[in-house]
Amino acid sequence: MTVNYTPMKPNLSEAQDLIALAYRLGAEKINLTEYVYTTRGGVELMPSPQELGTLLDTWIKAGQKWKGKIDVDWHDCRVGLLLPGAEADPYKGCGAGYTHCRITVDRDVTPCVVLPVPVGNLKQQSFAEIWRSAAELHKIRSRDNINSGNCSVCEHKAKCGGCRAASYAWYGDAYAGDPTCWIKPDLPEFGSGTTRKEEAQG
């Protein structure tokens, strides 16, 4: 059994307690998955880049503390930048359209569970056809297509690539910067006011 933890403003302080709770429940793993505000929640629930960076630092340390009792894992595009040496090697950054995708109830295929950009539909094509040939999937797999913001000029673009869903949520563009990054911050005013996407739609 795996317990999933999505850090948001209201539950940031509960991270360590949740690891202990998962252990008491008999879980084999607790997994931290970054909150991305493309679904029902709003941007006001998103931790600031600094808060997220501090949390992931303590989460990694907690993994050492709980080693042998429960696996403390996480899903974040920056994992490969945070782990030492060979531990970082398996991580390739944002996996949208690369390691995973989503199939909706309407049979739309999107590059990520929190990136609501349909790249094909299973009513018209097989999954294999979409996965192999969808133009948008080919585009998102190449980080050379990140064309603005912090990710476009970051020395870690090949290893990380930034969260494409966070970019879409803030800018309405999956190929812009990552507003959640604390390693090379994009938006010092992050978390205040409306997103650029909301402004454009408003």
Side-chain angles (χ1 to χ4, degrees):
M1 179 178 72
T2 297
V3 172
N4 197 62
Y5 165 50
T6 301
M8 297 178 282
K9 288 277 189 184
N11 67 8
L12 273 179
S13 63
E14 300 172 8
Q16 302 302 315
D17 292 338
L18 288 170
I19 297 174
L21 174 62
Y23 175 70
R24 290 198 304 272
L25 291 172
E28 297 175 351
K29 178 190 291 188
I30 181 167
N31 183 65
L32 182 154
T33 301
E34 182 183 348
Y35 169 71
V36 180
Y37 37 90
T38 56
T39 51
R40 289 176 293 178
V43 67
E44 67 277 359
L45 294 176
M46 182 66 204
S48 71
Q50 294 72 28
E51 288 171 330
L52 188 59
T54 299
L55 174 62
L56 277 172
D57 181 60
T58 58
W59 195 260
I60 291 169
K61 291 174 180 174
Q64 295 300 314
K65 174 184 174 183
W66 288 91
K67 194 171 184 177
K69 297 179 180 178
I70 185 173
D71 288 335
V72 179
D73 205 353
W74 57 90
H75 175 80
D76 186 275
C77 57
R78 290 159 284 261
V79 169
L81 307 180
L82 303 175
L83 293 175
E87 288 185 52
D89 289 344
Y91 297 96
K92 306 302 181 185
C94 180
Y98 175 63
T99 62
H100 60 266
C101 65
R102 173 182 67 157
I103 300 172
T104 72
V105 293
D106 297 319
R107 301 187 188 178
D108 283 329
V109 177
T110 73
C112 174
V113 295
V114 286
L115 180 52
V117 178
V119 300
N121 188 282
L122 296 180
K123 294 175 184 176
Q124 282 84 42
Q125 293 175 281
S126 71
F127 178 80
E129 288 174 320
I130 295 170
W131 186 254
R132 292 170 184 160
S133 63
E136 191 67 25
L137 289 182
H138 283 284
K139 182 178 179 181
I140 206 165
R141 288 168 187 158
S142 173
R143 290 174 185 162
D144 290 338
N145 291 311
I146 300 172
N147 53 37
S148 64
N150 54 347
C151 297
S152 68
V153 294
C154 183
E155 63 270 29
H156 304 299
K157 182 164 73 168
K159 185 68 175 175
C160 169
C163 177
R164 297 300 91 216
S167 175
Y168 180 83
W170 189 270
Y171 294 108
D173 178 2
Y175 303 95
D178 181 349
T180 69
C181 185
W182 67 93
I183 295 173
K184 193 177 187 73
D186 196 40
L187 292 167
E189 78 280 12
F190 176 84
S192 61
T194 57
T195 69
R196 305 296 191 271
K197 184 181 176 185
E198 290 169 338
E199 288 173 356
Q201 293 173 340

